[in-house]
Structure formats: C-alpha cells, structure tokens
Amino acid sequence: MANAKNAFSPYKLPFLFQDLKRTSSITGIPFKGVPTNYPYDPTVALRTLQFIKSHDADNKLPQAMRQLWLMEYVQRKAPGSIDNVKEALNNGGIDESVVDQAMALAETLDAVKNNTARVKELRGFGAPTILAYKAGSTEPQLFFGSDRFEHLAIYLDKEFYPMKQLFANAKF
C-alpha cells in the first residue's frame, strides 16, 4: 500500500506514528498504536465510507470514520476485511449491511479509484492530504498535514482555532 515502508526515508513512518502519539496527548483523540499487520489493504473500509458518503441521508459518515479509527488505532485491529469493517460499524450503532451494499456496487470502487487518481494528479501524498475548494473556484488547493489547518482556514477565509482550543470539548 501507499504507506508501506518508505525506501527513501526509513525514518518517516516511525516519525508519523510518534507524531500521532503526541497529537493524541494534545487533542485527546485516542491513539495506542497501529495494527500489527500494518500496512494492510484498506479497500473495504474505503468503499464502505464512500458508500455511506454517497447514500446515507442520516449523515453517519463521521461516526463510521470514528469507529474505523478506534478499531485501527485503539484496538490495533486492521479494518481491512469485510468482517472487521462490519464489527467496527456495529460498535458504533451503524447497520453493517452498508458494507455488503458498498461491496456490491461497482460505483463505490470506481469512486475510490477516481478520488485516488485525482489526488495523484494533483501530486498529493499520504494522509492527511486535503483538497480545498474556495468559493467561486473550480480548482482545489492541496494542503498536506494536520499542521496546515491554520493555512487551510486562512485560504478559506475562516476563523482558525488552535488545536488545543478546537479539541477542548471533543467527544470521541
């Protein structure tokens, strides 16, 4: 996968995980580590999230993302299989049938492939790669890294809240 060991810099991946631990202590977002079988194939999780984004009127996407995060980075269990993704969603009170629906529709895989191709076209890399569209613009600006949220807010003419303030009352 894309986050497999980086031949150019063997220090990058360990740094990223250390940085996640530091960010967790600042934000209160739980992080215990990565699954032992990292990296893994995230296709089932990505297709499921894409399906929820496209077909769920109840806006379950944030909860689904939260449950997948908890499985991967708190339980340290890879959400790389249909059964694991269903388990994660069930833990969040989300109907697991969305996984089967997502896997049955070719359009969800096509959307994941198109999203990935678009990020590559814009020379994006890793997570978090953020594409932001400013009102009135048809071309996105690419931002990379959680330390770029202030830049993103300035670009979008939004008020910026420092991380500690932003997550002060977060419920995870």
Side-chain angles (χ1 to χ4, degrees):
M1 297 312 312
N3 284 333
K5 293 184 174 61
N6 185 331
F8 177 72
S9 175
Y11 310 110
K12 182 178 180 182
L13 199 57
F15 171 80
L16 290 174
F17 293 135
Q18 185 60 38
D19 191 50
L20 277 171
K21 287 178 185 176
R22 179 178 40 236
T23 301
S24 173
S25 70
I26 294 168
T27 63
I29 295 173
F31 178 82
K32 291 186 178 177
V34 297
T36 55
N37 63 333
Y38 187 88
Y40 64 90
D41 183 351
T43 304
V44 175
L46 292 173
R47 286 181 74 169
T48 301
L49 292 172
Q50 180 63 46
F51 180 85
I52 292 169
K53 177 184 172 193
S54 302
H55 294 86
D56 180 34
D58 295 330
N59 194 23
K60 300 269 188 203
L61 186 61
Q63 180 63 12
M65 293 170 69
R66 186 175 294 114
Q67 291 309 126
L68 291 168
W69 173 276
L70 290 171
M71 174 173 272
E72 183 169 359
Y73 298 117
V74 177
Q75 297 173 9
R76 299 183 68 193
K77 184 175 180 180
S81 70
I82 289 173
D83 288 341
N84 284 1
V85 173
K86 285 181 176 183
E87 177 186 329
L89 296 182
N90 275 330
N91 288 341
I94 299 170
D95 183 359
E96 70 177 34
S97 70
V98 298
V99 179
D100 296 324
Q101 293 172 57
M103 298 307 289
L105 285 178
E107 71 186 55
T108 59
L109 181 58
D110 292 342
V112 169
K113 287 179 179 179
N114 291 338
N115 291 341
T116 302
R118 181 68 172 138
V119 170
K120 285 181 179 179
E121 175 186 305
L122 294 167
R123 299 198 165 134
F125 52 93
T129 294
I130 303 164
L131 299 179
Y133 290 83
K134 195 170 191 170
S137 174
T138 58
E139 286 300 313
Q141 289 291 311
L142 184 129
F143 295 85
F144 177 78
S146 60
D147 60 337
R148 295 295 184 245
F149 289 149
E150 182 174 13
H151 297 186
L152 180 61
I154 292 167
Y155 172 73
L156 294 172
D157 297 321
K158 300 289 183 184
E159 189 171 355
F160 174 73
Y161 298 96
M163 193 177 291
K164 199 161 191 167
Q165 180 183 351
L166 184 64
F167 289 99
N169 296 312
K171 291 181 177 70
F172 209 88

